[in-house]
Amino acid sequence: MSEAIKFLVGQGYVHLGENIDKRSHQLMLTEAGQKAMSACSVLETDRLVALLSVLSEGELLKALEGLELLAAATFRLTLNQKGEV
């Protein structure tokens, strides 16, 4: 098991479940882990609203264009990985 996983388990952020086989472990976020993820995620709703509220109209349009580019790239990558391109 990696040092990073040991650290997260030790901090109470991750619960180490039963071994599926000798090479893998089932990992689950604990309630503390879920709270930590929400606290630092830019996509958490309240944080996102606060971030967007400080942008000008022009900056909001640029942010939207960036998100559209990322969505299109995700779609193309998915098609490439499926061999559909």
Side-chain angles (χ1 to χ4, degrees), residues 7-71:
F7 175 79
L8 293 171
V9 169
Q11 295 296 308
Y13 295 134
V14 172
H15 171 74
L16 190 60
E18 296 180 26
N19 290 6
I20 295 169
D21 61 36
K22 293 184 188 262
R23 297 167 291 150
S24 63
H25 295 274
Q26 183 178 22
L27 303 174
M28 294 166 282
L29 277 179
T30 62
E31 187 175 331
Q34 291 173 356
K35 286 180 182 178
M37 288 291 294
S38 288
C40 68
S41 174
V42 72
L43 296 178
E44 193 270 322
T45 304
D46 292 338
R47 182 171 286 192
L48 185 57
V49 167
L51 289 169
L52 293 174
S53 72
V54 300
L55 296 178
S56 69
E57 186 174 336
E59 291 170 326
L60 285 170
L61 290 173
K62 287 180 183 178
L64 181 58
E65 289 172 3
L67 291 172
E68 289 171 342
L69 286 170
L70 288 173

